[in-house]
Amino acid sequence: LNLPVVPITDLAIHKRDKDLVVATQGRSFWIVDDLTVLHQISNWGKDTVAAADVHLFKPEESYRMPGGGGRGGGAASIGENPPSGATIWFYLKDKPKGDIALEILDAAGKSVKKFSSRAPEPSTEAAGGGRFRGGGPARVPAEKGLNRFAWDLRYPDATTFPGMILWSGNTSGPRAVPGSYQVKLTVDGKTLTESFEVRKDPRVPTTLAEFQKQFDLLTKIRDKFSETSEAITAIRDIRRQT
């Protein structure tokens, strides 16, 4: 992969996370994280997975914490952190005929957020000259073989409008409360579902009740922001009609 050409003096499997830890001479320690696919293929059987038209792997536990993803400086010798949020792996024997649908559900089976492999609609934000951080949902990969999708643990974003300016803000939806969730993958009419867990950062003392209160407040703020954005859009539309 992206491991520099250096002497590797030791290899070990982490007892708790089952990740591969690599000790090198000259480039510190490297961790090949999220070996979920390898472990589950071993349990299911390589031939069983390969013979399936589509196979959804059970996601490993994810932690609600900042950071993740990217590589500092862009140098090949610098490690890349795993993507932030829940990592979802699925296997496609062939490229699907239609669009892939991926949906996140909470413990009660209520929809949290939906994603698709369909190309996003053209954005009107660039034409409006807006300045804000946010954007549409991530696109689900749909290539033959192994595919990876990362859910950032966020609920749907707030509604925006062309020309919006948020110098130090963003329109991102609230982050999911730690607990049990499900991922539902639909490919060419076939649906597969797996459960997974979102855990809190073990370093913070925040309780589940406090996470829920924060989520409820942020949801109200998002909804009020969306209501305001929709009102502005309606006012502009009426102005154009007038």
Side-chain angles (χ1 to χ4, degrees):
L1 300 177
N2 61 333
L3 186 68
V5 181
V6 293
I8 296 176
T9 55
D10 198 10
L11 295 171
I13 299 295
H14 194 277
K15 292 182 179 179
R16 185 189 65 194
D17 299 325
K18 296 184 179 179
D19 294 336
L20 177 63
V21 183
V22 181
T24 75
Q25 288 186 358
R27 292 297 181 185
S28 189
F29 289 94
W30 288 61
I31 298 176
V32 182
D33 65 286
D34 193 10
L35 298 183
T36 303
V37 173
L38 295 181
H39 293 306
Q40 292 188 31
I41 284 180
S42 177
N43 293 333
W44 279 85
K46 180 180 178 181
D47 295 337
T48 301
V49 175
D53 293 332
V54 55
H55 182 86
L56 176 63
F57 294 90
K58 181 178 176 61
E60 69 173 0
E61 312 81 41
S62 58
Y63 289 86
R64 187 184 136 148
M65 56 195 304
R71 177 188 294 125
S77 60
I78 298 178
E80 182 176 356
N81 289 321
S84 178
T87 302
I88 299 162
W89 293 92
F90 59 94
Y91 169 80
L92 301 177
K93 188 174 183 179
D94 297 296
K95 191 173 180 65
K97 299 175 182 178
D99 296 325
I100 288 180
L102 191 149
E103 184 176 14
I104 304 297
L105 309 169
D106 63 16
K110 184 177 179 181
S111 179
V112 171
K113 200 169 185 178
K114 297 179 179 180
F115 304 91
S116 172
S117 62
R118 185 186 302 114
E121 296 292 331
S123 175
T124 59
E125 297 299 336
R131 291 173 178 262
F132 70 95
R133 289 183 293 162
R139 188 176 176 184
V140 180
E143 300 300 326
K144 178 181 178 180
L146 197 62
N147 293 266
R148 181 179 76 170
F149 179 81
W151 173 45
D152 61 3
L153 305 186
R154 289 191 178 276
Y155 276 64
D157 298 343
T159 302
T160 62
F161 57 86
M164 176 180 290
I165 297 177
L166 293 175
W167 290 110
S168 299
N170 65 74
T171 58
S172 299
R175 287 195 292 173
V177 175
S180 298
Y181 292 85
Q182 292 179 313
V183 54
K184 183 169 70 173
L185 178 70
T186 303
V187 181
D188 291 339
K190 186 174 184 179
T191 299
L192 301 174
T193 305
E194 285 289 350
S195 61
F196 64 98
E197 185 180 359
V198 174
R199 297 179 177 178
K200 75 169 189 174
D201 186 335
R203 301 168 299 182
V204 300
T206 311
T207 65
L208 186 60
E210 290 169 336
F211 275 120
Q212 188 63 52
K213 286 183 178 180
Q214 181 195 52
F215 174 82
D216 293 341
L217 174 60
L218 292 177
T219 300
K220 289 180 180 178
I221 293 173
R222 181 204 60 185
D223 292 347
K224 178 59 67 174
F225 188 99
S226 293
E227 182 183 336
T228 304
S229 297
E230 291 164 4
I232 292 173
T233 300
I235 290 171
R236 289 180 173 179
D237 183 52
I238 292 172
R239 180 179 293 168
R240 281 192 296 269
Q241 295 182 50
T242 302

